[in-house]
Amino acid sequence: AGINVVVGVIFVWKEMSEEIQYELAKNLMEQNKMLIGHGGQAGLMTPAVLIGGIPEGFEENMAPGALRYYKEKGLWQKYRN
């Protein structure tokens, strides 16, 4: 028996605009079913993995646009509890 660990992390440039960060997070969440259909690791990037896997206290280091999207859609509250 083995242990499978999936970590969904996306790094962005510090200079990336907040709007592009927002759109990137939005597309990853809303197009997840399409990503699953293409196979590979991208389809494993579910809200539970992307948001639930963020370490405590890391919120201040997150891309502000992505964090705004997660909170607006209620995903942050759902997967952080």
Side-chain angles (χ1 to χ4, degrees):
I3 298 173
N4 293 322
V5 178
V6 177
V7 177
V9 177
I10 297 174
F11 294 94
V12 297
W13 288 273
K14 192 174 190 175
E15 296 81 15
M16 182 181 282
S17 77
E18 187 173 325
E19 195 55 38
I20 292 174
Q21 297 166 4
Y22 182 95
E23 289 298 319
L24 179 61
K26 176 182 175 186
N27 281 297
L28 282 171
M29 295 297 106
E30 294 179 4
Q31 302 300 323
N32 185 262
K33 288 186 174 89
M34 180 198 63
L35 294 171
I36 291 170
H38 290 285
Q41 297 293 317
L44 300 174
M45 297 172 89
T46 65
V49 170
L50 284 172
I51 300 165
I54 297 169
E56 290 297 323
F58 194 77
E59 182 176 344
E60 65 213 31
N61 297 311
M62 289 186 58
L67 187 58
R68 179 170 52 101
Y69 173 80
Y70 297 149
K71 288 183 174 182
E72 283 179 7
K73 297 300 179 184
L75 299 170
W76 186 259
Q77 297 81 349
K78 180 176 180 178
Y79 294 103
R80 294 304 294 167
N81 294 325

